[in-house]
Amino acid sequence: MACSHNNTIWFFILALFTVLISPVISSRVSSLMKLPVIVESRSSVDSYCESWRLAVETNNAVKCKVVPSKCVSYLETYYGKGQFDKDYNVVASYALAFAKTVKMGGDCKDAWVFDVDETLLSNLEYYKAHSYGAEPFNSKEFSEWVVQGTTPGYDASLKLYKDLKKLGFAIILLTGRDEAQMSITEKILKDAGYSGWVQLLLR
């Protein structure tokens, strides 16, 4: 009787071992034992990129030299689908609302300072060709782009510019462009609809 009981136990162990080494069963068991692969969803990437953009715009990403590669697609959508223009319209409307609260002195000393690139003029086409800033900035290539004179203006900034002039502000323009690019920069600004500034300061 004891021998029969032992035989039954060994048969059970042998059967279990056979099941475990079976290729089909073994593959199923091993798949259950694999650690899950973490794949970042599209929404989580976009969420990260929105946070990154906020950090850049508030000047908190001080060590950021290039756009994170995973945010290139996000920026393509941000600019291409019109969200940037909507954001700019809102910011410009707030700026104009503030300007209307300023008590003007009437002595031509009430000045408004505008940056040029990415404020009055858009270099989006240049950055499109360079992965929306995911490539390191090349000042030589950018200078070559500038002299082509194909930089358009922003609708929101042009409207703000004209409204500020009507309020009586003296307009001063400030840019990191080289002094040698004065003539082409003046031409581009005028072609985009800007005029009547008091001074254009270049590097």
Side-chain angles (χ1 to χ4, degrees):
M1 192 74 172
C3 183
S4 175
H5 179 68
N6 287 337
N7 286 340
T8 302
I9 292 174
W10 278 110
F11 176 79
F12 175 76
I13 292 173
L14 201 61
L16 180 61
F17 181 75
T18 302
V19 168
L20 287 175
I21 64 173
S22 167
V24 176
I25 302 300
S26 177
S27 64
R28 290 179 182 174
V29 171
S30 63
S31 67
L32 291 174
M33 295 173 65
K34 287 179 182 177
L35 292 174
V37 177
I38 300 174
V39 179
E40 244 181 326
S41 68
R42 182 74 255 161
S43 60
S44 70
V45 171
D46 287 349
S47 179
Y48 167 81
C49 294
E50 286 176 5
S51 298
W52 167 83
R53 181 170 62 87
L54 176 63
V56 171
E57 291 176 351
T58 53
N59 204 31
N60 288 319
V62 291
K63 293 185 179 180
C64 180
K65 299 297 182 183
V66 295
V67 169
S69 58
K70 66 181 177 180
C71 293
V72 171
S73 178
Y74 166 82
L75 288 177
E76 187 175 15
T77 301
Y78 176 66
Y79 286 106
K81 299 295 184 181
Q83 188 58 51
F84 172 83
D85 295 324
K86 293 174 183 176
D87 289 348
Y88 204 161
N89 285 332
V90 170
V91 172
S93 68
Y94 277 121
L96 181 59
F98 166 76
K100 290 178 178 178
T101 69
V102 176
K103 186 177 180 181
M104 305 294 286
D107 53 5
C108 296
K109 292 182 179 180
D110 297 296
W112 194 283
V113 180
F114 277 104
D115 181 33
V116 174
D117 291 300
E118 274 55 69
T119 302
L120 298 183
L121 300 176
S122 169
N123 294 294
L124 180 59
E125 292 305 315
Y126 170 83
Y127 287 107
K128 274 184 183 179
H130 294 81
S131 301
Y132 289 87
E135 298 176 10
F137 181 74
N138 186 308
S139 58
K140 184 177 181 294
E141 288 185 1
F142 184 75
S143 293
E144 291 171 354
W145 157 262
V146 167
V147 298
Q148 292 177 22
T150 57
T151 314
Y154 292 107
D155 292 339
S157 60
L158 181 58
K159 181 181 182 304
L160 175 61
Y161 184 99
K162 291 180 175 179
D163 287 340
L164 291 170
K165 283 181 62 181
K166 289 177 183 177
L167 290 174
F169 283 95
I171 306 296
I172 297 173
L173 307 182
L174 183 66
T175 176
R177 294 184 179 196
D178 293 332
E179 192 74 30
Q181 297 169 339
M182 170 75 81
S183 296
I184 188 63
T185 301
E186 288 180 331
K187 181 182 182 302
I188 296 169
L189 286 164
K190 290 174 181 176
D191 288 348
Y194 303 102
S195 63
W197 57 81
V198 173
Q199 194 168 9
L200 170 59
L201 301 172
L202 292 91
R203 187 173 50 154

